[in-house]
Amino acid sequence: HGAIDWYTASVGAFAVAALAAHGAMFLRWKTHLDLHGLARRLWLVTAALAIGVTIETAFVHPRLFAHLAGRAWLWILPLAVIGGFVAVVVALAGNLELPGFLASSVVIAGLLVLTAGALYPLILPSTVDPRYSLDITASNDHGALAIGLAWWIPAIALAIVYFAHLFRSFRGKATGDYHEPTSDTPAS
């Protein structure tokens, strides 16, 4: 087994497509660029890859679906992800920029929470041997999770304050007043 196999490569391709599609939705919202066609194509690719990766996961990690079935609190997440995909399509059809970005955010967040919830208590499953998997118990040697939580709380609070400041400072669309320096213009 190498570091990259067909399943890992397809999950990676899906992640790249999903983040590119999400980025296109953000740029549609915050700029005057015409990215409608690009965003639509990226979401089509993302949806196709999502279906493919879901089918692959059923074969490669079937216990994830068993965990999903056995954890009722996770049941809403596939519906949220599908609803997010539908809302992206509706937003693109109606040229709704902010709702499209928010729907895209629901897809990304839903997939992350769904994956983490289905993996729990594993953090990083081994494809070589289950003995090499990293789980919550093994990762908590010497109180590592408590230390991580102690750092995470102020860090996430700082990130929230920072992003609130950014979104307030840069509300509205980018104006496009920036020009590349030319040989006649001194660089600052």
Side-chain angles (χ1 to χ4, degrees):
H1 287 251
I4 305 282
D5 58 10
W6 62 271
Y7 178 71
T8 306
S10 61
V11 170
F14 168 66
V16 168
L19 293 175
H22 183 62
M25 296 302 276
F26 177 78
L27 290 173
R28 283 184 72 238
W29 170 44
K30 295 301 284 181
T31 70
H32 295 286
L33 298 173
D34 183 16
L35 297 172
H36 183 82
L38 176 64
R40 188 175 48 78
R41 286 188 299 277
L42 285 169
W43 276 107
L44 286 172
V45 169
T46 301
L49 288 171
I51 292 167
V53 166
T54 302
I55 293 167
E56 291 172 359
T57 301
F59 290 104
V60 175
H61 296 291
R63 68 178 175 258
L64 290 181
F65 289 96
H67 289 171
L68 176 62
R71 297 174 180 159
W73 64 274
L74 290 175
W75 295 353
I76 192 70
L77 293 171
L79 297 175
V81 171
I82 292 167
F85 270 108
V86 169
V88 164
V89 170
V90 169
L92 285 169
N95 205 25
L96 305 169
E97 294 168 348
L98 177 58
F101 173 69
L102 295 175
S104 175
S105 299
V106 167
V107 172
I108 302 287
L111 287 169
L112 288 172
V113 175
L114 179 61
T115 301
L119 279 171
Y120 181 84
L122 289 178
I123 295 173
L124 187 61
S126 172
T127 57
V128 176
D129 187 334
R131 294 178 301 167
Y132 300 126
S133 294
L134 182 62
D135 65 12
I136 295 294
T137 306
S139 66
N140 197 25
D141 288 345
H142 311 291
L145 292 178
I147 293 168
L149 183 62
W151 279 99
W152 183 83
I153 291 172
I156 197 66
L158 184 61
I160 289 168
V161 168
Y162 177 69
F163 275 95
H165 170 72
L166 280 179
F167 275 88
R168 186 165 186 257
S169 296
F170 296 104
R171 62 184 168 268
K173 291 194 178 278
T175 60
D177 291 341
Y178 176 77
H179 298 286
E180 288 288 331
T182 64
S183 59
D184 301 341
T185 309
S188 51

